[in-house]
């Protein structure tokens, strides 16, 4: 595939993904190329419908059903939004991708992480980002940030600390397994410092093209 650059941002709830994603988008916009800022779950019309189910449905969703819903969102998003943009040579900046499923549905919901990953790879015909930024944070610190933000919790945010601790460990294991793709940053640093480290990594990726 002729391609632009595909960047994903990952991390636990309260790790500052949205802040960093916005800062990175603003910086990328100054460089010239077209930047598509998108997210999972969501990122397409069908995806927004699925997002509403997985984040706001009241009541139980069976773990495998939840994993399939995220995978369905991903399949449609990659096929109709991400892949076409990359083929046009654009930069795709995406909040969350398949690593979220391995961490949240795999470790969090205790499904088999390899199966969850394989499901997403099947859904997307093997699409993997060029760079994945992992904002790593102690879930107890992240919880304080979420409490301070005073917004209602979605289904995943409402999970207990043990859940979020398993999510964090799974993320770190994923990053250790693919050091070429991942950059792991300490999300307790000041936002400006984190943004600087992300830019350095993206500059290196752009220089390689
Ligand atoms: P996010 O969009 O980061 O939430 P917010 O907009 O409230 O900051 O992510 C929504 C939630 O979805 C988050 O708690 C993690 C969860 N999630 C999964 O469990 N599996 C997945 O595959 C994805 C993409 C997200």
């Amino acid at each position: 595939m002729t391609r632009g650059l595909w960047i994903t941002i990952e991390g636990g709830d309260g790790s500052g993904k949205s802040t960093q994603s916005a800062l990175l988008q603003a910086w990328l916009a100054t460089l010239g190329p077209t930047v598509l800022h998108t997210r999972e779950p969501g990122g397409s019309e069908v995806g927004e419908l699925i997002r509403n189910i997985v984040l706001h449905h009241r009541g139980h969703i069976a773990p495998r059903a939840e994993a399939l819903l995220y995978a369905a969102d991903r399949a449609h998003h990659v096929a109709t939004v991400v892949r076409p943009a990359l083929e046009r040579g654009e930069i795709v900046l995406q909040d969350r991708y398949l690593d979220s499923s391995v961490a949240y549905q795999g470790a969090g919901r205790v499904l088999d992480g390899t199966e969850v990953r394989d499901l997403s790879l099947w859904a997307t015909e093997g699409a993997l980002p060029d760079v994945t930024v992992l904002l790593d944070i102690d879930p107890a610190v992240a919880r304080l940030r979420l409490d301070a933000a005073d917004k209602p919790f979605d289904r995943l945010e409402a999970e207990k600390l043990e859940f979020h601790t398993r999510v964090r460990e799974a993320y770190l294991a994923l990053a250790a397994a693919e050091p070429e793709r991942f950059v792991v940053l300490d999300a307790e640093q000041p936002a400006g410092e984190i943004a600087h480290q992300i830019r350095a990594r993206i500059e290196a990726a752009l220089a390689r093209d």
Side-chain angles (χ1 to χ4, degrees), residues 152-191:
F153 288 165
D154 65 38
R155 287 180 62 253
L156 284 300
E157 284 169 348
E159 286 292 339
K160 296 192 176 50
L161 199 57
E162 297 90 76
F163 175 101
H164 292 286
T165 302
R166 289 198 301 277
V167 167
R168 181 192 195 189
E169 281 162 6
Y171 266 136
L172 290 173
L174 284 167
E178 282 183 82
E180 297 275 289
R181 171 160 72 90
F182 275 89
V183 53
V184 183
L185 300 174
D186 173 2
E188 282 189 54
Q189 299 176 91

Side-chain angles (χ1 to χ4, degrees), residues 20-207:
Q20 289 305 326
S21 196
L23 289 171
L24 183 56
Q25 182 189 16
W27 176 71
L28 287 169
T30 67
L31 299 183
T34 305
V35 181
L36 175 81
H37 194 186
T38 186
R39 67 173 179 178
E40 289 185 7
S44 70
E45 220 174 297
V46 168
E48 289 302 326
L49 296 171
I50 299 175
R51 181 179 175 94
N52 197 32
I53 302 172
V54 286
L55 296 189
H56 305 302
H57 171 72
R58 288 169 190 275
H60 180 65
I61 300 180
R64 281 166 194 265
E66 185 181 87
L68 284 162
L69 284 165
Y70 281 110
D73 165 56
R74 184 159 298 135
H76 189 70
H77 184 224
V78 167
T80 65
V81 178
V82 175
R83 211 180 276 274
L86 291 172
E87 282 169 358
R88 291 192 299 270
E90 295 177 10
I91 296 181
V92 175
L93 170 58
Q94 180 171 329
D95 297 358
R96 298 193 181 281
Y97 185 54
L98 94 182
D99 304 297
S100 280
S101 278
V102 179
Y104 283 80
Q105 279 65 55
R109 300 289 189 218
V110 204
L111 297 173
D112 181 308
T114 307
E115 285 180 0
V116 170
R117 183 182 155 91
D118 287 348
L119 176 69
S120 277
L121 287 174
W122 177 81
T124 62
E125 301 177 82
L128 280 174
D130 300 294
V131 180
T132 298
V133 176
L134 172 58
L135 298 175
D136 177 53
I137 192 162
D138 177 344
V141 175
R143 176 49 49 120
L144 292 176
R145 287 186 181 177
L146 290 174
D147 287 345
D150 201 25
K151 281 197 304 191
F153 288 165
D154 65 38
R155 287 180 62 253
L156 284 300
E157 284 169 348
E159 286 292 339
K160 296 192 176 50
L161 199 57
E162 297 90 76
F163 175 101
H164 292 286
T165 302
R166 289 198 301 277
V167 167
R168 181 192 195 189
E169 281 162 6
Y171 266 136
L172 290 173
L174 284 167
E178 282 183 82
E180 297 275 289
R181 171 160 72 90
F182 275 89
V183 53
V184 183
L185 300 174
D186 173 2
E188 282 189 54
Q189 299 176 91
E193 182 53 36
I194 299 170
H196 177 75
Q197 292 164 3
I198 295 176
R199 287 199 292 269
R201 179 67 179 79
I202 302 305
E203 261 168 351
L206 287 168

